Amino acid sequence: MTLKNRISLLVSLLFTILFGLASTLIFILYSNFRKEEFRDRLEIKALSNIKLLVNVKRVDNQLLKIIDQNSINKLYDEKTLVFDSNYKLIYSSIDDAKINWSIDDLKYLKKNKTFFKQQGEYEVYGVFYDTKDRDFYALISATDDYGKRKLLFLRYTLIISYIFFTCVCWVVTSITVKKLMSPLSSFHQKIKNINENNLDTRVESKSNKNEIDLIANEFNFMMDRIEISYQKQKEFTAHASHELRTPLSRLTSQIENTIADSTTPVKGKTFLNTILSDVNQLTELINSLLILSKLDNKKHENTEVQRMDEILFSAIENLNRSFPDFVILFEMEENDNLDTALEIKGNKNLLEIALSNVLKNACVYSDNKQAIVKISTENDNLLISILNTGNTLTENEQKNLFQPFMRGVNSKETSGFGLGLRIVQRILTLHNAQINYSVPKENTNLFQLVFHSNF
């Protein structure tokens, strides 16, 4: 789970839990408040009836019943019972009143003065009233329909509010977090796209107060140091390679002159030819390193349109000079889009080096001094396929095929340094192209160069 989704989830869950707890607390507090308020109302009613019986001499039971019946709130369905000190019922507000009571309830009242309990749909309040002459017990029962309706309304209001605002919170939190984290997403995308070709890429930062901007500033500072170190390393490779070429050229010239000298003995010429071969290999290595350093340090302008078939023919011609016995069978697919696909924006010299290296690789590792080169298209992309027969690479070797100085088991008897395919990959990367290796069948090597049409 991404950090953005995790933050959204945690914030939304926190709000959901807190709002749920707050709604529950509000409901419980209001429920208790309703009970207390209704209890106070019943207490006032009970004490009023007792005081009328005790203090107003002209009020008898019948008159009090008439007063009580006319004052009863039908909404509450009140019923009142009054007992004397001998637990005898001396007053009932309604003849058919049914209030469940017992002597134990009255004894409990005498001891605790009041009680409040639930009996089915009714709530019963009991009170003990003590006078100098007599004791009175009053039980009053009623249903708080009005209060319960308000409580029910509050319950539904809280539930609907909880569901609605929870959904709103999840949506708003997701949108807000996504918006707040968008600089981080942009930051991540730019970091993801950084490689050895664009070490000069920097992340934009608007201020120094935002944590993401602080990280971006530190990242830019780190990239400055990495770029400087990388450039120094490549410059050293380029300078060293360039400086080594001069003495090697002199050494090659002197050896060739000595070999050409008629006074040089045959044994000495054989020895010098061996040395010359080693010097030529060293020169080739230095030239390869120089090409790599230039590719890493230079930004080649790929604005000129090149014809890949012409570059391929030129590379084949150059290869035939070095390997005259090597035969290249050429095939070209008949396709209306081929002419358009053959036009690639790029650097002619670099593309020729890339094709020459792949062709040379096919020549060196071929077991019959033959290769098949095919030009075709696939999804409007240009494909140059180079196929030869010979020993193939293992799956392990294929994974590291384009790494510097990587050589397979099949190269033991072949001279080379393992830089050719690395150079090819670097050149193709600069031209928004790629090279793939596969083994279509036994003892068959296939290299495919793919040039994308959107370049």
Side-chain angles (χ1 to χ4, degrees), residues 171-227:
V171 174
V172 171
T173 301
S174 178
I175 295 173
T176 304
V177 172
K178 184 177 181 180
K179 185 176 181 180
L180 292 175
M181 298 291 284
S182 59
L184 193 59
S185 299
S186 176
F187 185 25
H188 171 261
Q189 191 61 39
K190 285 193 175 182
I191 294 176
K192 186 178 178 181
N193 294 332
I194 291 176
N195 52 43
E196 65 270 21
N197 298 323
N198 56 357
L199 288 176
D200 57 345
T201 302
R202 297 295 180 268
V203 180
E204 295 181 4
S205 58
K206 298 180 181 179
S207 66
N208 293 324
K209 296 181 180 180
N210 187 292
E211 287 79 1
I212 296 178
D213 290 331
L214 290 174
I215 295 175
N217 290 334
E218 293 300 322
F219 175 80
N220 290 337
F221 181 62
M222 179 190 70
M223 287 302 301
D224 290 338
R225 290 178 292 176
I226 291 176
E227 185 181 14

Short mmCIF file of all heavy atoms in Angstrom, two decimals, residues 171-227:
data_model
loop_
_atom_site.label_atom_id
_atom_site.label_comp_id
_atom_site.label_asym_id
_atom_site.label_seq_id
_atom_site.Cartn_x
_atom_site.Cartn_y
_atom_site.Cartn_z
N VAL A 171 -14.01 10.55 0.94
CA VAL A 171 -13.78 11.13 -0.38
C VAL A 171 -12.90 12.37 -0.28
O VAL A 171 -11.90 12.51 -1.01
CB VAL A 171 -15.14 11.49 -1.05
CG1 VAL A 171 -14.89 12.24 -2.36
CG2 VAL A 171 -15.95 10.24 -1.29
N VAL A 172 -13.25 13.28 0.65
CA VAL A 172 -12.49 14.53 0.81
C VAL A 172 -11.06 14.23 1.24
O VAL A 172 -10.10 14.84 0.75
CB VAL A 172 -13.20 15.46 1.82
CG1 VAL A 172 -12.31 16.66 2.15
CG2 VAL A 172 -14.53 15.93 1.25
N THR A 173 -10.89 13.28 2.16
CA THR A 173 -9.55 12.94 2.63
C THR A 173 -8.71 12.39 1.49
O THR A 173 -7.53 12.75 1.33
CB THR A 173 -9.62 11.89 3.76
OG1 THR A 173 -10.39 12.43 4.84
CG2 THR A 173 -8.23 11.54 4.26
N SER A 174 -9.31 11.52 0.69
CA SER A 174 -8.58 10.93 -0.45
C SER A 174 -8.15 12.01 -1.43
O SER A 174 -6.99 12.02 -1.88
CB SER A 174 -9.47 9.89 -1.14
OG SER A 174 -8.83 9.34 -2.26
N ILE A 175 -9.07 12.93 -1.75
CA ILE A 175 -8.75 14.00 -2.70
C ILE A 175 -7.70 14.94 -2.12
O ILE A 175 -6.74 15.33 -2.79
CB ILE A 175 -10.02 14.78 -3.07
CG1 ILE A 175 -11.01 13.87 -3.83
CG2 ILE A 175 -9.69 16.01 -3.91
CD1 ILE A 175 -12.36 14.50 -4.09
N THR A 176 -7.87 15.30 -0.84
CA THR A 176 -6.95 16.23 -0.20
C THR A 176 -5.54 15.65 -0.09
O THR A 176 -4.56 16.32 -0.42
CB THR A 176 -7.47 16.61 1.20
OG1 THR A 176 -8.79 17.14 1.10
CG2 THR A 176 -6.55 17.64 1.85
N VAL A 177 -5.47 14.40 0.37
CA VAL A 177 -4.15 13.76 0.51
C VAL A 177 -3.49 13.62 -0.86
O VAL A 177 -2.28 13.83 -1.00
CB VAL A 177 -4.30 12.39 1.20
CG1 VAL A 177 -2.98 11.64 1.17
CG2 VAL A 177 -4.74 12.58 2.64
N LYS A 178 -4.30 13.26 -1.86
CA LYS A 178 -3.75 13.12 -3.21
C LYS A 178 -3.19 14.44 -3.71
O LYS A 178 -2.13 14.49 -4.34
CB LYS A 178 -4.85 12.62 -4.16
CG LYS A 178 -4.36 12.33 -5.56
CD LYS A 178 -5.48 11.77 -6.43
CE LYS A 178 -4.97 11.47 -7.84
NZ LYS A 178 -6.06 10.92 -8.69
N LYS A 179 -3.91 15.53 -3.41
CA LYS A 179 -3.45 16.85 -3.84
C LYS A 179 -2.20 17.26 -3.08
O LYS A 179 -1.25 17.82 -3.65
CB LYS A 179 -4.57 17.87 -3.62
CG LYS A 179 -4.24 19.26 -4.14
CD LYS A 179 -5.42 20.20 -3.99
CE LYS A 179 -5.09 21.59 -4.53
NZ LYS A 179 -6.24 22.52 -4.38
N LEU A 180 -2.19 17.01 -1.76
CA LEU A 180 -1.04 17.38 -0.95
C LEU A 180 0.19 16.56 -1.30
O LEU A 180 1.33 17.04 -1.20
CB LEU A 180 -1.38 17.21 0.54
CG LEU A 180 -2.41 18.18 1.11
CD1 LEU A 180 -2.72 17.82 2.56
CD2 LEU A 180 -1.90 19.62 1.05
N MET A 181 -0.06 15.30 -1.70
CA MET A 181 1.07 14.41 -2.00
C MET A 181 1.47 14.46 -3.47
O MET A 181 2.39 13.74 -3.87
CB MET A 181 0.68 12.98 -1.63
CG MET A 181 0.38 12.76 -0.17
SD MET A 181 1.83 12.91 0.88
CE MET A 181 2.61 11.34 0.55
N SER A 182 0.79 15.27 -4.27
CA SER A 182 1.13 15.34 -5.70
C SER A 182 2.57 15.79 -5.94
O SER A 182 3.23 15.26 -6.85
CB SER A 182 0.15 16.27 -6.43
OG SER A 182 0.18 17.57 -5.88
N PRO A 183 3.13 16.73 -5.14
CA PRO A 183 4.55 17.05 -5.34
C PRO A 183 5.45 15.85 -5.10
O PRO A 183 6.46 15.68 -5.79
CB PRO A 183 4.81 18.15 -4.30
CG PRO A 183 3.47 18.73 -4.01
CD PRO A 183 2.51 17.61 -4.14
N LEU A 184 5.06 15.00 -4.14
CA LEU A 184 5.86 13.80 -3.87
C LEU A 184 5.78 12.82 -5.03
O LEU A 184 6.76 12.16 -5.37
CB LEU A 184 5.38 13.14 -2.57
CG LEU A 184 6.28 12.07 -1.97
CD1 LEU A 184 7.65 12.64 -1.66
CD2 LEU A 184 5.65 11.49 -0.72
N SER A 185 4.58 12.71 -5.65
CA SER A 185 4.43 11.83 -6.81
C SER A 185 5.28 12.34 -7.97
O SER A 185 5.93 11.54 -8.67
CB SER A 185 2.96 11.77 -7.23
OG SER A 185 2.15 11.25 -6.19
N SER A 186 5.27 13.66 -8.16
CA SER A 186 6.10 14.24 -9.22
C SER A 186 7.58 14.03 -8.92
O SER A 186 8.38 13.72 -9.81
CB SER A 186 5.80 15.73 -9.33
OG SER A 186 6.65 16.35 -10.26
N PHE A 187 7.92 14.18 -7.63
CA PHE A 187 9.29 13.95 -7.16
C PHE A 187 9.72 12.51 -7.47
O PHE A 187 10.80 12.25 -8.00
CB PHE A 187 9.33 14.24 -5.66
CG PHE A 187 10.70 14.17 -5.05
CD1 PHE A 187 11.84 14.37 -5.80
CD2 PHE A 187 10.84 13.91 -3.70
CE1 PHE A 187 13.10 14.30 -5.24
CE2 PHE A 187 12.08 13.84 -3.12
CZ PHE A 187 13.22 14.04 -3.89
N HIS A 188 8.83 11.57 -7.16
CA HIS A 188 9.12 10.15 -7.40
C HIS A 188 9.30 9.85 -8.88
O HIS A 188 10.20 9.10 -9.27
CB HIS A 188 7.99 9.30 -6.82
CG HIS A 188 8.06 7.86 -7.18
ND1 HIS A 188 7.31 7.32 -8.21
CD2 HIS A 188 8.80 6.84 -6.69
CE1 HIS A 188 7.58 6.04 -8.32
NE2 HIS A 188 8.47 5.72 -7.42
N GLN A 189 8.44 10.46 -9.71
CA GLN A 189 8.52 10.21 -11.15
C GLN A 189 9.83 10.72 -11.73
O GLN A 189 10.45 10.05 -12.57
CB GLN A 189 7.33 10.87 -11.86
CG GLN A 189 7.16 10.45 -13.31
CD GLN A 189 6.93 8.96 -13.48
OE1 GLN A 189 6.23 8.35 -12.69
NE2 GLN A 189 7.55 8.39 -14.50
N LYS A 190 10.27 11.89 -11.27
CA LYS A 190 11.53 12.44 -11.78
C LYS A 190 12.72 11.60 -11.32
O LYS A 190 13.65 11.37 -12.09
CB LYS A 190 11.68 13.88 -11.30
CG LYS A 190 10.77 14.85 -12.04
CD LYS A 190 11.15 16.29 -11.78
CE LYS A 190 10.29 17.22 -12.63
NZ LYS A 190 10.66 18.64 -12.43
N ILE A 191 12.69 11.15 -10.07
CA ILE A 191 13.77 10.29 -9.59
C ILE A 191 13.80 8.99 -10.39
O ILE A 191 14.87 8.48 -10.73
CB ILE A 191 13.57 9.99 -8.08
CG1 ILE A 191 13.73 11.27 -7.27
CG2 ILE A 191 14.56 8.94 -7.60
CD1 ILE A 191 13.45 11.09 -5.80
N LYS A 192 12.61 8.44 -10.67
CA LYS A 192 12.51 7.19 -11.41
C LYS A 192 13.12 7.30 -12.80
O LYS A 192 13.69 6.33 -13.33
CB LYS A 192 11.04 6.78 -11.50
CG LYS A 192 10.79 5.41 -12.11
CD LYS A 192 9.31 5.10 -12.11
CE LYS A 192 9.02 3.74 -12.76
NZ LYS A 192 7.56 3.45 -12.78
N ASN A 193 13.01 8.49 -13.42
CA ASN A 193 13.49 8.68 -14.79
C ASN A 193 14.96 9.07 -14.87
O ASN A 193 15.50 9.19 -15.96
CB ASN A 193 12.65 9.75 -15.49
CG ASN A 193 11.22 9.31 -15.68
OD1 ASN A 193 10.93 8.12 -15.79
ND2 ASN A 193 10.29 10.26 -15.70
N ILE A 194 15.61 9.27 -13.72
CA ILE A 194 17.02 9.68 -13.73
C ILE A 194 17.90 8.47 -14.00
O ILE A 194 17.75 7.42 -13.38
CB ILE A 194 17.40 10.35 -12.40
CG1 ILE A 194 16.71 11.71 -12.27
CG2 ILE A 194 18.90 10.53 -12.30
CD1 ILE A 194 16.95 12.40 -10.95
N ASN A 195 18.81 8.62 -14.94
CA ASN A 195 19.81 7.58 -15.21
C ASN A 195 21.11 8.27 -15.61
O ASN A 195 21.25 9.49 -15.46
CB ASN A 195 19.32 6.63 -16.30
CG ASN A 195 18.87 7.35 -17.56
OD1 ASN A 195 19.52 8.29 -18.01
ND2 ASN A 195 17.74 6.93 -18.10
N GLU A 196 22.06 7.49 -16.12
CA GLU A 196 23.37 8.08 -16.44
C GLU A 196 23.29 9.07 -17.58
O GLU A 196 24.23 9.84 -17.79
CB GLU A 196 24.38 6.98 -16.76
CG GLU A 196 24.07 6.17 -18.01
CD GLU A 196 23.21 4.96 -17.72
OE1 GLU A 196 22.54 4.94 -16.67
OE2 GLU A 196 23.19 4.02 -18.53
N ASN A 197 22.16 9.08 -18.32
CA ASN A 197 22.04 10.00 -19.45
C ASN A 197 21.51 11.37 -19.06
O ASN A 197 21.65 12.33 -19.81
CB ASN A 197 21.10 9.41 -20.52
CG ASN A 197 21.64 8.12 -21.08
OD1 ASN A 197 22.83 7.98 -21.27
ND2 ASN A 197 20.76 7.17 -21.33
N ASN A 198 20.86 11.49 -17.91
CA ASN A 198 20.26 12.77 -17.52
C ASN A 198 20.52 13.07 -16.05
O ASN A 198 19.60 13.36 -15.29
CB ASN A 198 18.76 12.77 -17.82
CG ASN A 198 18.04 11.62 -17.14
OD1 ASN A 198 18.65 10.77 -16.49
ND2 ASN A 198 16.74 11.58 -17.28
N LEU A 199 21.79 13.01 -15.68
CA LEU A 199 22.15 13.32 -14.29
C LEU A 199 21.97 14.80 -13.97
O LEU A 199 22.07 15.20 -12.80
CB LEU A 199 23.60 12.91 -14.01
CG LEU A 199 23.87 11.41 -13.93
CD1 LEU A 199 25.35 11.14 -13.76
CD2 LEU A 199 23.09 10.78 -12.79
N ASP A 200 21.73 15.62 -14.99
CA ASP A 200 21.51 17.05 -14.75
C ASP A 200 20.07 17.36 -14.40
O ASP A 200 19.70 18.51 -14.18
CB ASP A 200 21.93 17.86 -15.97
CG ASP A 200 21.18 17.44 -17.23
OD1 ASP A 200 20.57 16.34 -17.22
OD2 ASP A 200 21.19 18.20 -18.22
N THR A 201 19.22 16.33 -14.32
CA THR A 201 17.82 16.54 -13.95
C THR A 201 17.72 16.96 -12.49
O THR A 201 18.35 16.38 -11.62
CB THR A 201 17.00 15.25 -14.16
OG1 THR A 201 17.11 14.84 -15.53
CG2 THR A 201 15.54 15.46 -13.81
N ARG A 202 16.89 17.97 -12.24
CA ARG A 202 16.70 18.45 -10.88
C ARG A 202 15.21 18.54 -10.57
O ARG A 202 14.38 18.72 -11.47
CB ARG A 202 17.34 19.84 -10.68
CG ARG A 202 18.86 19.84 -10.86
CD ARG A 202 19.55 19.02 -9.80
NE ARG A 202 21.00 19.04 -9.96
CZ ARG A 202 21.68 18.14 -10.66
NH1 ARG A 202 21.04 17.15 -11.27
NH2 ARG A 202 22.99 18.22 -10.76
N VAL A 203 14.89 18.42 -9.29
CA VAL A 203 13.50 18.49 -8.84
C VAL A 203 13.17 19.92 -8.43
O VAL A 203 13.94 20.54 -7.69
CB VAL A 203 13.27 17.53 -7.65
CG1 VAL A 203 11.82 17.61 -7.18
CG2 VAL A 203 13.61 16.10 -8.05
N GLU A 204 12.05 20.44 -8.91
CA GLU A 204 11.65 21.81 -8.57
C GLU A 204 11.19 21.89 -7.12
O GLU A 204 10.51 21.01 -6.63
CB GLU A 204 10.52 22.28 -9.49
CG GLU A 204 10.93 22.38 -10.95
CD GLU A 204 9.79 22.87 -11.82
OE1 GLU A 204 8.72 23.19 -11.26
OE2 GLU A 204 9.97 22.94 -13.05
N SER A 205 11.56 22.99 -6.46
CA SER A 205 11.11 23.24 -5.08
C SER A 205 10.70 24.70 -4.98
O SER A 205 11.40 25.59 -5.46
CB SER A 205 12.23 22.93 -4.07
OG SER A 205 13.37 23.70 -4.35
N LYS A 206 9.54 24.94 -4.34
CA LYS A 206 8.98 26.29 -4.28
C LYS A 206 9.40 27.05 -3.03
O LYS A 206 9.49 28.26 -3.02
CB LYS A 206 7.45 26.21 -4.35
CG LYS A 206 6.95 25.60 -5.66
CD LYS A 206 5.43 25.54 -5.68
CE LYS A 206 4.93 24.91 -6.99
NZ LYS A 206 3.46 24.80 -7.01
N SER A 207 9.59 26.36 -1.92
CA SER A 207 9.93 27.02 -0.66
C SER A 207 10.79 26.10 0.17
O SER A 207 11.02 24.94 -0.17
CB SER A 207 8.66 27.42 0.10
OG SER A 207 7.98 26.25 0.51
N ASN A 208 11.25 26.61 1.31
CA ASN A 208 12.06 25.82 2.23
C ASN A 208 11.28 25.41 3.48
O ASN A 208 11.84 24.84 4.40
CB ASN A 208 13.31 26.61 2.65
CG ASN A 208 14.26 26.83 1.49
OD1 ASN A 208 14.41 25.96 0.64
ND2 ASN A 208 14.90 27.99 1.45
N LYS A 209 9.98 25.73 3.50
CA LYS A 209 9.17 25.42 4.68
C LYS A 209 8.50 24.06 4.56
O LYS A 209 8.27 23.39 5.55
CB LYS A 209 8.11 26.51 4.88
CG LYS A 209 8.72 27.89 5.18
CD LYS A 209 7.63 28.93 5.38
CE LYS A 209 8.23 30.30 5.69
NZ LYS A 209 7.19 31.32 5.88
N ASN A 210 8.15 23.68 3.34
CA ASN A 210 7.49 22.40 3.11
C ASN A 210 8.51 21.27 3.20
O ASN A 210 9.60 21.35 2.66
CB ASN A 210 6.83 22.42 1.72
CG ASN A 210 5.97 21.20 1.49
OD1 ASN A 210 6.49 20.10 1.37
ND2 ASN A 210 4.68 21.40 1.42
N GLU A 211 8.12 20.17 3.91
CA GLU A 211 9.05 19.06 4.10
C GLU A 211 9.45 18.44 2.77
O GLU A 211 10.60 18.03 2.58
CB GLU A 211 8.42 17.99 5.01
CG GLU A 211 8.33 18.36 6.48
CD GLU A 211 7.17 19.28 6.79
OE1 GLU A 211 6.44 19.62 5.85
OE2 GLU A 211 7.02 19.68 7.96
N ILE A 212 8.50 18.34 1.84
CA ILE A 212 8.82 17.76 0.54
C ILE A 212 9.83 18.62 -0.20
O ILE A 212 10.75 18.12 -0.84
CB ILE A 212 7.53 17.58 -0.29
CG1 ILE A 212 6.60 16.57 0.40
CG2 ILE A 212 7.85 17.12 -1.70
CD1 ILE A 212 5.27 16.37 -0.31
N ASP A 213 9.67 19.95 -0.10
CA ASP A 213 10.62 20.86 -0.75
C ASP A 213 11.99 20.76 -0.11
O ASP A 213 13.02 20.88 -0.79
CB ASP A 213 10.10 22.30 -0.68
CG ASP A 213 8.89 22.51 -1.58
OD1 ASP A 213 8.81 21.82 -2.60
OD2 ASP A 213 8.04 23.34 -1.25
N LEU A 214 12.03 20.55 1.20
CA LEU A 214 13.32 20.38 1.87
C LEU A 214 14.03 19.13 1.36
O LEU A 214 15.24 19.13 1.11
CB LEU A 214 13.11 20.29 3.39
CG LEU A 214 12.67 21.58 4.09
CD1 LEU A 214 12.36 21.29 5.56
CD2 LEU A 214 13.76 22.64 3.99
N ILE A 215 13.24 18.05 1.21
CA ILE A 215 13.82 16.82 0.66
C ILE A 215 14.29 17.05 -0.77
O ILE A 215 15.36 16.56 -1.18
CB ILE A 215 12.78 15.67 0.72
CG1 ILE A 215 12.44 15.34 2.18
CG2 ILE A 215 13.30 14.43 0.01
CD1 ILE A 215 11.33 14.31 2.33
N ALA A 216 13.49 17.80 -1.55
CA ALA A 216 13.85 18.08 -2.94
C ALA A 216 15.15 18.87 -3.01
O ALA A 216 16.02 18.58 -3.85
CB ALA A 216 12.72 18.85 -3.63
N ASN A 217 15.31 19.84 -2.12
CA ASN A 217 16.54 20.63 -2.10
C ASN A 217 17.75 19.77 -1.78
O ASN A 217 18.82 19.89 -2.40
CB ASN A 217 16.42 21.77 -1.08
CG ASN A 217 15.42 22.83 -1.52
OD1 ASN A 217 15.18 23.00 -2.72
ND2 ASN A 217 14.83 23.53 -0.57
N GLU A 218 17.59 18.89 -0.78
CA GLU A 218 18.69 18.00 -0.42
C GLU A 218 18.99 17.02 -1.55
O GLU A 218 20.16 16.67 -1.80
CB GLU A 218 18.35 17.24 0.87
CG GLU A 218 18.28 18.11 2.12
CD GLU A 218 19.61 18.81 2.39
OE1 GLU A 218 20.66 18.19 2.18
OE2 GLU A 218 19.58 20.00 2.78
N PHE A 219 17.93 16.57 -2.22
CA PHE A 219 18.12 15.65 -3.35
C PHE A 219 18.88 16.34 -4.48
O PHE A 219 19.80 15.75 -5.08
CB PHE A 219 16.77 15.16 -3.85
CG PHE A 219 16.86 14.31 -5.08
CD1 PHE A 219 17.21 12.97 -5.01
CD2 PHE A 219 16.59 14.87 -6.33
CE1 PHE A 219 17.30 12.20 -6.16
CE2 PHE A 219 16.69 14.10 -7.48
CZ PHE A 219 17.04 12.76 -7.39
N ASN A 220 18.52 17.59 -4.77
CA ASN A 220 19.22 18.34 -5.81
C ASN A 220 20.69 18.54 -5.46
O ASN A 220 21.57 18.44 -6.32
CB ASN A 220 18.54 19.70 -6.03
CG ASN A 220 17.18 19.56 -6.69
OD1 ASN A 220 16.90 18.57 -7.36
ND2 ASN A 220 16.32 20.55 -6.49
N PHE A 221 20.94 18.83 -4.18
CA PHE A 221 22.32 19.00 -3.72
C PHE A 221 23.10 17.70 -3.88
O PHE A 221 24.26 17.69 -4.31
CB PHE A 221 22.31 19.46 -2.26
CG PHE A 221 23.69 19.69 -1.69
CD1 PHE A 221 24.53 20.65 -2.22
CD2 PHE A 221 24.14 18.91 -0.64
CE1 PHE A 221 25.81 20.84 -1.70
CE2 PHE A 221 25.40 19.09 -0.11
CZ PHE A 221 26.24 20.07 -0.64
N MET A 222 22.45 16.58 -3.55
CA MET A 222 23.10 15.28 -3.71
C MET A 222 23.37 14.98 -5.18
O MET A 222 24.44 14.47 -5.54
CB MET A 222 22.20 14.19 -3.11
CG MET A 222 22.75 12.78 -3.24
SD MET A 222 21.54 11.51 -2.79
CE MET A 222 20.39 11.66 -4.16
N MET A 223 22.40 15.31 -6.06
CA MET A 223 22.58 15.07 -7.49
C MET A 223 23.71 15.92 -8.05
O MET A 223 24.44 15.49 -8.96
CB MET A 223 21.28 15.36 -8.24
CG MET A 223 20.19 14.31 -8.04
SD MET A 223 20.70 12.66 -8.52
CE MET A 223 21.12 12.91 -10.25
N ASP A 224 23.88 17.13 -7.52
CA ASP A 224 25.01 17.97 -7.95
C ASP A 224 26.33 17.27 -7.68
O ASP A 224 27.22 17.22 -8.53
CB ASP A 224 24.98 19.32 -7.22
CG ASP A 224 23.83 20.20 -7.69
OD1 ASP A 224 23.34 19.97 -8.82
OD2 ASP A 224 23.42 21.09 -6.94
N ARG A 225 26.46 16.71 -6.48
CA ARG A 225 27.71 16.03 -6.11
C ARG A 225 27.90 14.76 -6.94
O ARG A 225 29.02 14.45 -7.36
CB ARG A 225 27.69 15.69 -4.62
CG ARG A 225 27.81 16.93 -3.72
CD ARG A 225 27.73 16.56 -2.26
NE ARG A 225 26.40 16.07 -1.91
CZ ARG A 225 26.07 15.60 -0.71
NH1 ARG A 225 26.97 15.53 0.24
NH2 ARG A 225 24.85 15.20 -0.47
N ILE A 226 26.79 14.01 -7.16
CA ILE A 226 26.90 12.78 -7.96
C ILE A 226 27.30 13.12 -9.40
O ILE A 226 28.16 12.44 -9.99
CB ILE A 226 25.57 12.01 -7.94
CG1 ILE A 226 25.30 11.44 -6.54
CG2 ILE A 226 25.57 10.88 -8.96
CD1 ILE A 226 23.97 10.76 -6.40
N GLU A 227 26.69 14.16 -9.95
CA GLU A 227 27.00 14.53 -11.33
C GLU A 227 28.45 14.96 -11.47
O GLU A 227 29.13 14.57 -12.43
CB GLU A 227 26.07 15.65 -11.79
CG GLU A 227 26.26 16.01 -13.26
CD GLU A 227 25.35 17.13 -13.70
OE1 GLU A 227 24.77 17.81 -12.83
OE2 GLU A 227 25.22 17.33 -14.92
#
